[in-house]
Protein backbone atom coordinates (compact mmCIF):
# COMPACT_ATOMS: atom_id res chain seq x y z
CA UNK A 1 0.00 0.00 0.00
CA UNK A 2 2.86 2.33 0.85
CA UNK A 3 4.46 1.78 -2.56
CA UNK A 4 1.17 2.40 -4.32
CA UNK A 5 0.62 5.65 -2.43
CA UNK A 6 4.16 6.76 -3.29
CA UNK A 7 3.51 6.20 -6.96
CA UNK A 8 0.26 8.06 -6.77
CA UNK A 9 1.92 11.02 -5.04
CA UNK A 10 4.63 11.21 -7.71
CA UNK A 11 2.17 11.80 -10.45
CA UNK A 12 2.70 11.03 -14.14
CA UNK A 13 6.20 10.28 -15.43
CA UNK A 14 8.05 13.33 -16.76
CA UNK A 15 8.54 13.20 -20.52
CA UNK A 16 12.08 12.87 -21.87
CA UNK A 17 13.77 15.63 -23.80
CA UNK A 18 13.63 13.58 -26.98
CA UNK A 19 9.93 13.05 -26.62
CA UNK A 20 9.36 16.76 -26.07
CA UNK A 21 11.43 17.66 -29.10
CA UNK A 22 9.62 15.11 -31.24
CA UNK A 23 6.24 16.38 -30.05
CA UNK A 24 7.17 19.96 -30.85
CA UNK A 25 8.37 18.94 -34.29
CA UNK A 26 5.15 17.04 -34.93
CA UNK A 27 3.09 20.00 -33.77
CA UNK A 28 4.86 22.35 -36.12
CA UNK A 29 4.21 20.20 -39.18
CA UNK A 30 1.28 20.98 -41.40
CA UNK A 31 -1.53 18.43 -41.39
CA UNK A 32 -1.38 15.76 -44.07
CA UNK A 33 -4.24 15.76 -46.51
CA UNK A 34 -6.54 12.80 -46.48
CA UNK A 35 -5.46 10.02 -48.83
CA UNK A 36 -1.92 11.38 -49.14
CA UNK A 37 1.05 9.73 -47.50
CA UNK A 38 3.88 11.71 -46.00
CA UNK A 39 7.07 11.32 -48.07
CA UNK A 40 9.78 9.14 -46.58
CA UNK A 41 12.67 10.85 -44.89
CA UNK A 42 14.92 7.83 -45.49
CA UNK A 43 17.35 8.37 -48.34
CA UNK A 44 17.93 5.46 -50.70
CA UNK A 45 21.68 4.93 -51.09
CA UNK A 46 23.25 3.48 -54.24
CA UNK A 47 26.71 2.98 -55.68
CA UNK A 48 26.51 6.45 -57.19
CA UNK A 49 25.74 8.49 -54.08
CA UNK A 50 27.16 6.39 -51.25
CA UNK A 51 30.12 8.77 -50.86
CA UNK A 52 27.75 11.21 -49.11
CA UNK A 53 28.10 8.95 -46.07
CA UNK A 54 31.75 10.03 -45.72
CA UNK A 55 30.67 13.52 -44.58
CA UNK A 56 28.64 14.36 -41.50
CA UNK A 57 26.78 11.89 -39.28
CA UNK A 58 24.79 9.06 -40.75
CA UNK A 59 22.80 5.97 -39.79
CA UNK A 60 22.69 3.46 -42.63
CA UNK A 61 20.64 0.26 -42.78
CA UNK A 62 21.11 -2.68 -45.18
CA UNK A 63 17.96 -4.67 -45.86
CA UNK A 64 16.27 -6.96 -48.37
CA UNK A 65 12.55 -6.96 -49.38
CA UNK A 66 12.26 -10.68 -48.60
CA UNK A 67 13.78 -10.36 -45.09
CA UNK A 68 11.10 -10.63 -42.32
CA UNK A 69 13.25 -8.92 -39.67
CA UNK A 70 13.85 -6.02 -42.05
CA UNK A 71 10.11 -5.61 -42.61
CA UNK A 72 9.45 -5.57 -38.87
CA UNK A 73 11.85 -2.68 -38.27
CA UNK A 74 10.77 -0.70 -41.33
CA UNK A 75 8.25 1.47 -39.47
CA UNK A 76 10.71 2.14 -36.63
CA UNK A 77 13.33 3.17 -39.12
CA UNK A 78 10.89 5.60 -40.78
CA UNK A 79 10.05 7.13 -37.41
CA UNK A 80 13.71 7.54 -36.59
CA UNK A 81 14.29 9.21 -39.97
CA UNK A 82 11.50 11.73 -39.28
CA UNK A 83 13.41 12.93 -36.21
CA UNK A 84 16.68 13.07 -38.12
CA UNK A 85 16.53 16.83 -38.54
CA UNK A 86 16.20 17.34 -34.77
CA UNK A 87 19.00 14.87 -34.03
CA UNK A 88 21.15 16.37 -36.78
CA UNK A 89 21.71 12.97 -38.34
CA UNK A 90 21.04 11.69 -41.86
CA UNK A 91 19.26 8.36 -42.29
CA UNK A 92 19.66 6.07 -45.28
CA UNK A 93 19.00 2.52 -46.41
CA UNK A 94 20.45 0.13 -48.97
CA UNK A 95 18.59 -2.64 -50.81
CA UNK A 96 21.17 -5.42 -51.10
CA UNK A 97 19.23 -7.07 -53.93
CA UNK A 98 19.63 -3.93 -56.04
CA UNK A 99 23.06 -2.86 -54.79
CA UNK A 100 25.22 -5.98 -54.32
CA UNK A 101 28.39 -3.95 -54.88
CA UNK A 102 27.57 -1.56 -52.05
CA UNK A 103 26.76 -4.43 -49.69
CA UNK A 104 30.10 -5.97 -50.61
CA UNK A 105 31.87 -2.67 -49.90
CA UNK A 106 30.47 -2.76 -46.34
CA UNK A 107 30.89 -6.56 -46.23
CA UNK A 108 27.31 -7.19 -45.13
CA UNK A 109 26.71 -10.84 -44.16
CA UNK A 110 23.55 -10.56 -42.02
CA UNK A 111 20.26 -8.69 -42.42
CA UNK A 112 19.34 -6.17 -41.25
CA UNK A 113 22.73 -4.54 -40.67
CA UNK A 114 23.04 -0.97 -39.36
CA UNK A 115 26.15 1.21 -39.55
CA UNK A 116 26.87 4.52 -37.84
CA UNK A 117 29.19 6.91 -39.73
CA UNK A 118 30.77 10.04 -38.33
CA UNK A 119 33.04 12.01 -40.70
CA UNK A 120 34.07 8.89 -42.60
CA UNK A 121 34.62 6.70 -39.49
CA UNK A 122 32.29 3.69 -39.45
CA UNK A 123 30.97 1.69 -36.50
CA UNK A 124 28.65 -1.28 -36.43
CA UNK A 125 25.40 -0.72 -34.51
CA UNK A 126 24.38 -3.90 -32.66
CA UNK A 127 21.43 -2.65 -30.62
CA UNK A 128 17.73 -3.13 -31.28
CA UNK A 129 16.20 -1.44 -34.27
CA UNK A 130 13.66 0.50 -32.20
CA UNK A 131 13.32 4.20 -32.81
CA UNK A 132 13.85 5.17 -29.14
CA UNK A 133 17.08 3.13 -28.86
CA UNK A 134 18.38 4.64 -32.06
CA UNK A 135 17.65 8.15 -30.79
CA UNK A 136 19.41 7.48 -27.48
CA UNK A 137 22.39 6.10 -29.42
CA UNK A 138 22.78 9.46 -31.15
CA UNK A 139 21.80 11.82 -28.29
CA UNK A 140 23.91 10.13 -25.63
CA UNK A 141 26.72 9.49 -28.10
CA UNK A 142 26.93 5.85 -27.25
CA UNK A 143 28.77 5.29 -30.48
CA UNK A 144 31.95 6.60 -28.83
CA UNK A 145 32.12 3.40 -26.75
CA UNK A 146 32.03 1.25 -29.91
CA UNK A 147 35.29 0.31 -31.63
CA UNK A 148 35.41 1.67 -35.18
CA UNK A 149 35.87 -0.53 -38.22
CA UNK A 150 39.51 -1.33 -39.06
CA UNK A 151 41.17 0.74 -41.74
CA UNK A 152 41.53 -2.11 -44.24
CA UNK A 153 37.84 -2.99 -43.78
CA UNK A 154 36.68 0.60 -44.19
CA UNK A 155 34.26 1.01 -47.13
CA UNK A 156 36.54 3.66 -48.63
CA UNK A 157 39.66 1.38 -48.60
CA UNK A 158 41.16 -0.28 -51.68
CA UNK A 159 40.49 -3.81 -50.39
CA UNK A 160 36.78 -3.16 -49.91
CA UNK A 161 36.63 -1.52 -53.33
CA UNK A 162 37.85 -4.82 -54.78
CA UNK A 163 35.29 -6.66 -52.68
CA UNK A 164 32.59 -4.37 -54.10
CA UNK A 165 33.65 -5.38 -57.60
CA UNK A 166 33.39 -9.09 -56.76
CA UNK A 167 29.93 -8.67 -55.24
CA UNK A 168 28.81 -6.66 -58.28
CA UNK A 169 30.06 -9.42 -60.59
CA UNK A 170 28.23 -12.08 -58.59
CA UNK A 171 25.01 -10.04 -58.67
CA UNK A 172 25.32 -9.57 -62.42
CA UNK A 173 25.86 -13.32 -62.93
CA UNK A 174 22.84 -14.08 -60.77
CA UNK A 175 20.65 -11.75 -62.81
CA UNK A 176 21.92 -13.22 -66.05
CA UNK A 177 21.22 -16.74 -64.80
CA UNK A 178 17.67 -15.71 -63.91
CA UNK A 179 17.26 -14.23 -67.38
CA UNK A 180 18.47 -17.43 -69.06
CA UNK A 181 16.29 -19.76 -67.01
CA UNK A 182 13.21 -17.54 -66.53
CA UNK A 183 12.85 -15.37 -69.61
CA UNK A 184 14.52 -17.54 -72.26
CA UNK A 185 13.46 -20.89 -70.74
CA UNK A 186 16.96 -22.42 -70.93
CA UNK A 187 17.50 -25.40 -68.57
CA UNK A 188 19.63 -24.86 -65.52
CA UNK A 189 22.37 -27.16 -66.80
CA UNK A 190 22.35 -25.24 -70.10
CA UNK A 191 22.84 -21.96 -68.22
CA UNK A 192 25.77 -23.49 -66.30
CA UNK A 193 27.31 -24.74 -69.55
CA UNK A 194 27.10 -21.25 -71.03
CA UNK A 195 28.88 -19.78 -68.00
CA UNK A 196 31.63 -22.43 -68.14
CA UNK A 197 32.20 -21.84 -71.85
CA UNK A 198 32.25 -18.07 -71.35
CA UNK A 199 34.78 -18.47 -68.52
CA UNK A 200 37.12 -20.49 -70.76
CA UNK A 201 36.89 -18.01 -73.62
CA UNK A 202 37.47 -15.05 -71.32
CA UNK A 203 40.48 -16.82 -69.80
CA UNK A 204 42.01 -17.46 -73.24
CA UNK A 205 41.45 -13.85 -74.30
CA UNK A 206 43.00 -12.52 -71.09
CA UNK A 207 45.98 -14.84 -71.50
CA UNK A 208 46.51 -13.66 -75.09
CA UNK A 209 46.32 -10.04 -73.95
CA UNK A 210 48.91 -10.68 -71.24
CA UNK A 211 51.28 -12.29 -73.76
CA UNK A 212 50.89 -9.36 -76.18
CA UNK A 213 51.43 -6.89 -73.35
CA UNK A 214 54.57 -8.73 -72.25
CA UNK A 215 55.90 -8.68 -75.84
CA UNK A 216 55.24 -4.94 -76.07
CA UNK A 217 56.90 -4.13 -72.78
CA UNK A 218 59.81 -6.57 -73.13
CA UNK A 219 60.30 -7.26 -76.86
CA UNK A 220 62.70 -10.08 -77.83
CA UNK A 221 66.12 -8.97 -79.08
CA UNK A 222 66.72 -9.46 -82.86
CA UNK A 223 69.45 -11.81 -84.09
CA UNK A 224 71.40 -9.00 -85.77
CA UNK A 225 71.46 -7.13 -82.54
CA UNK A 226 72.73 -10.23 -80.81
CA UNK A 227 75.58 -10.57 -83.33
CA UNK A 228 76.49 -6.91 -82.89
CA UNK A 229 76.55 -7.28 -79.16
CA UNK A 230 78.45 -10.56 -79.40
CA UNK A 231 81.27 -9.16 -81.58
CA UNK A 232 82.91 -7.04 -78.87
CA UNK A 233 82.49 -9.91 -76.45
CA UNK A 234 84.28 -12.25 -78.86
CA UNK A 235 87.01 -9.65 -79.35
CA UNK A 236 87.41 -9.35 -75.63
CA UNK A 237 87.68 -13.12 -75.39
CA UNK A 238 90.18 -13.24 -78.28
CA UNK A 239 92.41 -10.54 -76.73
CA UNK A 240 93.45 -12.69 -73.76
CA UNK A 241 94.13 -15.57 -76.15
CA UNK A 242 96.49 -13.38 -78.18
CA UNK A 243 98.19 -12.27 -75.00
CA UNK A 244 98.58 -15.90 -73.97
CA UNK A 245 100.15 -16.72 -77.34
CA UNK A 246 102.56 -13.81 -76.96
CA UNK A 247 103.49 -14.94 -73.49
CA UNK A 248 104.04 -18.50 -74.73
CA UNK A 249 106.27 -17.25 -77.55
CA UNK A 250 108.28 -15.16 -75.11
CA UNK A 251 108.59 -18.19 -72.88
CA UNK A 252 109.77 -20.28 -75.84
CA UNK A 253 112.34 -17.65 -76.76
CA UNK A 254 113.57 -17.50 -73.21
CA UNK A 255 113.77 -21.28 -73.06
CA UNK A 256 115.67 -21.35 -76.38
CA UNK A 257 118.10 -18.75 -75.10
CA UNK A 258 118.57 -20.75 -71.93
CA UNK A 259 119.22 -23.88 -73.95
CA UNK A 260 121.77 -22.03 -76.11
CA UNK A 261 123.47 -20.69 -73.03
CA UNK A 262 123.51 -24.18 -71.55
CA UNK A 263 124.96 -25.59 -74.78
CA UNK A 264 127.62 -22.89 -74.96
CA UNK A 265 128.50 -23.47 -71.32
CA UNK A 266 128.67 -27.20 -72.01
CA UNK A 267 130.94 -26.66 -75.02
CA UNK A 268 133.19 -24.36 -72.99
CA UNK A 269 133.32 -26.93 -70.24
CA UNK A 270 134.21 -29.64 -72.79
CA UNK A 271 136.94 -27.45 -74.29
CA UNK A 272 138.29 -26.68 -70.86
CA UNK A 273 138.25 -30.37 -69.90
CA UNK A 274 140.03 -31.28 -73.16
CA UNK A 275 142.67 -28.65 -72.47
CA UNK A 276 143.14 -29.94 -68.97
CA UNK A 277 143.51 -33.48 -70.31
CA UNK A 278 146.09 -32.33 -72.87
CA UNK A 279 148.00 -30.49 -70.15
CA UNK A 280 147.93 -33.53 -67.92
CA UNK A 281 149.12 -35.72 -70.83
CA UNK A 282 151.90 -33.30 -71.66
CA UNK A 283 152.99 -33.19 -68.02
CA UNK A 284 152.96 -36.98 -67.91
CA UNK A 285 155.12 -37.16 -71.05
CA UNK A 286 157.60 -34.66 -69.65
CA UNK A 287 157.90 -36.54 -66.39
CA UNK A 288 158.45 -39.77 -68.31
CA UNK A 289 161.12 -38.17 -70.51
CA UNK A 290 162.84 -36.69 -67.45
CA UNK A 291 162.80 -40.07 -65.80
CA UNK A 292 164.20 -41.71 -68.91
CA UNK A 293 166.89 -39.01 -69.23
CA UNK A 294 167.83 -39.48 -65.59
CA UNK A 295 168.07 -43.19 -66.17
CA UNK A 296 170.22 -42.74 -69.28
CA UNK A 297 172.61 -40.31 -67.56
CA UNK A 298 174.30 -42.77 -65.21
CA UNK A 299 174.42 -45.31 -68.00
CA UNK A 300 176.41 -42.86 -70.11
CA UNK A 301 178.89 -42.27 -67.31
CA UNK A 302 179.34 -46.00 -66.89
CA UNK A 303 179.90 -46.59 -70.62
CA UNK A 304 182.98 -44.58 -71.18
CA UNK A 305 183.26 -41.23 -69.48
CA UNK A 306 182.29 -39.21 -72.53
CA UNK A 307 181.46 -36.06 -70.64
CA UNK A 308 181.05 -33.79 -73.59
CA UNK A 309 178.54 -35.96 -75.33
CA UNK A 310 176.66 -36.44 -72.16
CA UNK A 311 176.45 -32.70 -71.64
CA UNK A 312 175.16 -32.19 -75.16
CA UNK A 313 172.51 -34.85 -74.66
CA UNK A 314 171.42 -33.24 -71.39
CA UNK A 315 171.17 -29.84 -73.01
CA UNK A 316 169.06 -31.20 -75.87
CA UNK A 317 166.79 -33.05 -73.46
CA UNK A 318 166.33 -29.94 -71.31
CA UNK A 319 165.57 -27.77 -74.32
CA UNK A 320 162.99 -30.25 -75.61
CA UNK A 321 161.34 -30.41 -72.21
CA UNK A 322 161.20 -26.62 -72.04
CA UNK A 323 159.70 -26.40 -75.52
CA UNK A 324 157.00 -28.89 -74.63
CA UNK A 325 156.16 -27.03 -71.39
CA UNK A 326 155.91 -23.75 -73.25
CA UNK A 327 153.82 -25.37 -75.93
CA UNK A 328 151.50 -26.80 -73.28
CA UNK A 329 151.20 -23.44 -71.57
CA UNK A 330 150.32 -21.78 -74.87
CA UNK A 331 147.61 -24.35 -75.47
Amino acid sequence: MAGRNAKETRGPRAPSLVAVAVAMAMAGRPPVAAGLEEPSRVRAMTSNNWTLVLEGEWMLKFYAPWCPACLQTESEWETFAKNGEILDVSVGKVDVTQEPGLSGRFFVTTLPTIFHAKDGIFRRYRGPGISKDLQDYILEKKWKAVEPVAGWKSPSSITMSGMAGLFSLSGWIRQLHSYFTGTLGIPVWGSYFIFVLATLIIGLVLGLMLVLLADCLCPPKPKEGKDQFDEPIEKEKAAPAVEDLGNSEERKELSDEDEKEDLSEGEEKEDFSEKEEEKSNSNDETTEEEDSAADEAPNAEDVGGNTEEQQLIDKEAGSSVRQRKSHGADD
Side-chain angles (χ1 to χ4, degrees):
M1 293 296 292
R4 183 180 299 174
N5 292 332
K7 289 181 180 180
E8 290 176 357
T9 56
R10 288 178 185 175
R13 185 178 178 182
S16 63
L17 294 176
V18 176
V20 172
V22 172
M24 291 176 64
M26 294 295 293
R29 292 175 185 171
V32 181
L36 296 177
E37 294 182 357
E38 187 178 1
S40 176
R41 299 297 182 90
V42 180
R43 181 177 294 185
M45 308 303 295
T46 63
S47 299
N48 298 324
N49 64 352
W50 80 271
T51 53
L52 298 174
V53 183
L54 300 176
E55 298 178 358
E57 190 171 11
W58 283 77
M59 290 293 287
L60 192 63
K61 183 179 80 168
F62 291 83
Y63 74 101
W66 47 262
C67 175
C70 300
L71 297 175
Q72 291 176 2
T73 60
E74 184 66 23
S75 59
E76 295 288 340
W77 194 252
E78 289 290 340
T79 304
F80 174 64
K82 290 175 183 178
N83 300 323
E85 295 180 359
I86 302 171
L87 301 173
D88 194 17
V89 62
S90 301
V91 182
K93 62 180 180 179
V94 179
D95 186 358
V96 296
T97 60
Q98 299 297 325
E99 298 293 335
L102 194 55
S103 64
R105 184 178 292 275
F106 284 82
F107 201 69
V108 176
T109 56
T110 58
L111 296 174
T113 298
I114 299 173
F115 278 95
H116 172 266
K118 179 70 174 179
D119 298 330
I121 300 174
F122 295 87
R123 292 175 174 85
R124 177 79 177 271
Y125 174 77
R126 300 184 182 276
I130 300 173
S131 176
K132 183 179 180 304
D133 295 327
L134 294 169
Q135 292 173 6
D136 293 340
Y137 186 79
I138 299 299
L139 288 173
E140 299 176 6
K141 296 183 178 181
K142 294 181 179 180
W143 49 268
K144 290 185 177 180
V146 180
E147 185 178 359
V149 177
W152 67 274
K153 291 181 66 177
S154 177
S156 59
S157 64
I158 298 175
T159 55
M160 300 314 292
S161 298
M163 189 66 68
L166 292 176
F167 273 64
S168 299
L169 180 62
S170 64
W172 180 78
I173 292 174
R174 191 182 302 110
Q175 293 177 1
L176 193 61
H177 176 70
S178 300
Y179 175 77
F180 287 157
T181 56
T183 306
L184 300 180
I186 298 175
V188 177
W189 63 268
S191 177
Y192 290 161
F193 178 77
I194 291 172
F195 282 116
V196 170
L197 185 61
T199 302
L200 293 175
I201 294 172
I202 292 171
L204 292 173
V205 173
L206 290 176
L208 180 61
M209 291 175 64
L210 289 174
V211 171
L212 293 175
L213 184 62
D215 290 338
C216 293
L217 295 177
C218 301
K221 295 181 181 179
K223 293 182 178 180
E224 295 179 356
K226 287 184 178 179
D227 296 336
Q228 293 176 357
F229 286 116
D230 291 339
E231 286 179 358
I233 296 172
E234 292 178 353
K235 290 180 180 179
E236 291 178 358
K237 291 181 178 179
V242 173
E243 292 178 357
D244 295 336
L245 290 173
N247 294 329
S248 62
E249 290 178 356
E250 291 178 356
R251 292 173 183 173
K252 287 181 179 179
E253 291 176 357
L254 293 173
S255 61
D256 294 337
E257 291 178 355
D258 294 336
E259 289 178 356
K260 290 179 180 179
E261 291 177 355
D262 294 335
L263 291 172
S264 61
E265 290 178 355
E267 290 177 355
E268 291 177 355
K269 290 179 180 179
E270 290 178 356
D271 295 336
F272 185 73
S273 60
E274 289 177 356
K275 290 179 180 179
E276 288 181 349
E277 289 179 356
E278 289 178 355
K279 288 179 180 180
S280 61
N281 293 327
S282 62
N283 292 328
D284 293 336
E285 290 178 354
T286 54
T287 53
E288 289 177 357
E289 289 177 355
E290 289 175 353
D291 293 335
S292 61
D295 292 335
E296 289 175 357
N299 292 326
E301 291 178 355
D302 293 336
V303 171
N306 296 325
T307 56
E308 294 179 358
E309 293 178 0
Q310 185 66 34
Q311 290 176 356
L312 291 172
I313 292 168
D314 292 336
K315 289 179 180 179
E316 291 177 359
S319 62
S320 63
V321 171
R322 290 173 185 172
Q323 289 178 0
R324 289 179 181 176
K325 286 182 178 181
S326 63
H327 181 71
D330 291 336
D331 294 336

